[in-house]
Amino acid sequence: MLTFYNVCSIPSSFQLMGIPGLESLHIWLSIPFGSMYLVAVVGNVTILAVVRVERSLHQPMYFFLCMLAVIDLVLSTSTMPKLLGIFWFGAGGISLDACLGQMFLIHCFATVESGIFLAMAFDRYVAICDPLHHTTVLTHTVVGHLGLAALLRGVIYIGPLPLMIRLRLPLYKTHVISHSYCEHMAVVSLTCGDSRVNNVYGLSIGFLVLILDSMAIAASYVMIFRAVMGLATPEARLKALGTCGSHVCAILIFYVPIAVSSLIHRFGHHVPPPIHMLLANFYLLIPPVLNPTVYAVRTKQIRERILQILKIEAKIG
């Protein structure tokens, strides 16, 4: 590490602290975190396998669900193995390039996931408000293009973040990151240079993604609700709303933890730092754990296929 004036330096690596203030509990914290990560991997892989095998699920909603499963696997895998390494072995060292790469994956795929939820809202809008044209509007090609657009948006929005840090802010006050992963603001707060551009860009991206996406999703559901209220019978209304239930649950699972974590980070100065860290980790784990659970419980085709597989395995065993 090169040092200038014994204050700022150019680090070749960083040291992640895990959950600062709870170091004595790291081995115990590894149990719930490791269990949740295992559930996330098994659940999302199961969703991918079931949709691939079951041809009746080759529909837009389930293709989007598969995209969510892949995103959730990337998000959880980009953070949890390293966190468990810190908990078990104290292996908090991470190179500068690996740190910036982890930062990109976390923020990029969180942005992509928000875009997929927006695409799913459009799918539900067409399915309920214009059901006769659903199959012609949301073809397999269109679904693929929507997924690609969400991915490209994530890359374009988040790509500049690690580049700006690498090119504009090479000097750091310390190489110790009081966090369990390389979150953008946690890294920027350690730099010696003028980080206002990075802060403004990060906040702007957060506004564009979370606020505008959630507003667009809310607008689509207002139109869906109006269309549902226009249906003739209560049974038809309940059936129509039931098709949106899993999507609404997944949206709440994704946006609520992020909103709570962001509000506490910005305004909860009285909240102990370990709580900040735990929330920051949970909001990356909760969606990967709960999304496949919600869809498996609420979607009849997925639930029946999983039960059928389990029965076959039980007979073989």
Side-chain angles (χ1 to χ4, degrees):
M1 181 183 294
L2 298 176
T3 304
F4 296 86
Y5 307 110
N6 297 319
V7 176
C8 296
S9 59
I10 301 176
S12 59
S13 64
F14 293 104
Q15 186 72 24
L16 294 168
M17 295 299 291
I19 311 294
L22 298 179
E23 287 85 356
S24 62
L25 299 177
H26 275 183
I27 193 66
W28 297 107
L29 288 172
S30 69
I31 297 174
F33 278 99
S35 301
M36 291 173 71
Y37 177 56
L38 180 62
V39 171
V41 171
V42 172
N44 285 288
V45 169
T46 300
I47 291 292
L48 290 170
V50 168
V51 173
R52 181 181 179 183
V53 170
E54 188 60 55
R55 295 191 62 85
S56 65
L57 299 179
H58 291 185
Q59 302 173 29
M61 182 174 75
Y62 302 108
F63 289 142
F64 287 130
L65 178 58
C66 287
M67 294 178 194
L68 281 184
V70 172
I71 293 166
D72 286 340
L73 286 171
V74 172
L75 281 174
S76 55
T77 303
S78 65
T79 55
M80 284 307 113
K82 184 63 180 177
L83 180 60
L84 293 175
I86 296 171
F87 286 162
W88 289 335
F89 312 112
I94 185 170
S95 69
L96 174 60
D97 290 335
C99 183
L100 295 178
Q102 186 188 54
M103 177 197 302
F104 172 78
L105 287 175
I106 292 169
H107 294 293
C108 176
F109 279 89
T111 302
V112 175
E113 184 155 3
S114 183
I116 296 301
F117 280 127
L118 183 57
M120 293 175 79
F122 175 67
D123 168 62
R124 292 299 85 202
Y125 167 75
V126 176
I128 292 175
C129 298
D130 194 10
L132 296 178
H133 295 94
H134 183 240
T135 55
T136 56
V137 172
L138 278 149
T139 62
H140 291 183
T141 301
V142 171
V143 171
H145 286 166
L146 289 173
L148 182 60
L151 177 60
L152 289 176
R153 186 184 72 153
V155 172
I156 292 170
Y157 279 9
I158 304 303
L161 286 179
L163 290 176
M164 286 192 296
I165 292 175
R166 183 75 172 180
L167 299 176
R168 295 187 66 256
L169 303 170
L171 302 179
Y172 292 80
K173 291 171 282 191
T174 176
H175 71 287
V176 177
I177 300 176
S178 298
H179 212 297
S180 56
Y181 57 85
C182 291
E183 196 270 336
H184 175 247
M185 292 307 300
V187 175
V188 169
S189 65
L190 305 181
T191 60
C192 292
D194 185 356
S195 61
R196 284 178 295 182
V197 173
N198 298 69
N199 293 333
V200 170
Y201 185 80
L203 289 173
S204 300
I205 293 302
F207 174 81
L208 285 173
V209 174
L210 295 178
I211 304 300
L212 296 185
D213 282 8
S214 58
M215 288 175 62
I217 291 170
S220 70
Y221 270 96
V222 168
M223 291 184 283
I224 288 172
F225 186 75
R226 287 179 178 175
V228 168
M229 290 300 100
L231 296 176
T233 63
E235 292 77 10
R237 295 172 191 166
L238 288 174
K239 183 178 180 180
L241 289 174
T243 63
C244 301
S246 299
H247 183 227
V248 172
C249 290
I251 289 171
L252 294 175
I253 289 168
F254 178 73
Y255 284 107
V256 170
I258 291 180
V260 171
S261 181
S262 298
L263 288 172
I264 290 178
H265 180 74
R266 297 291 176 187
F267 306 109
H269 303 296
H270 61 284
V271 178
I275 302 300
H276 283 277
M277 298 301 105
L278 288 171
L279 287 174
N281 282 283
F282 280 135
Y283 95 72
L284 290 177
L285 259 182
I286 289 174
V289 169
L290 293 184
N291 280 344
T293 305
V294 166
Y295 277 94
V297 170
R298 293 189 58 87
T299 305
K300 181 180 178 182
Q301 296 96 319
I302 294 178
R303 183 173 66 250
E304 289 180 348
R305 185 63 180 181
I306 291 175
L307 291 174
Q308 182 181 355
I309 293 172
L310 292 175
K311 288 178 181 177
I312 293 174
E313 291 182 349
K315 290 180 180 178
I316 294 175

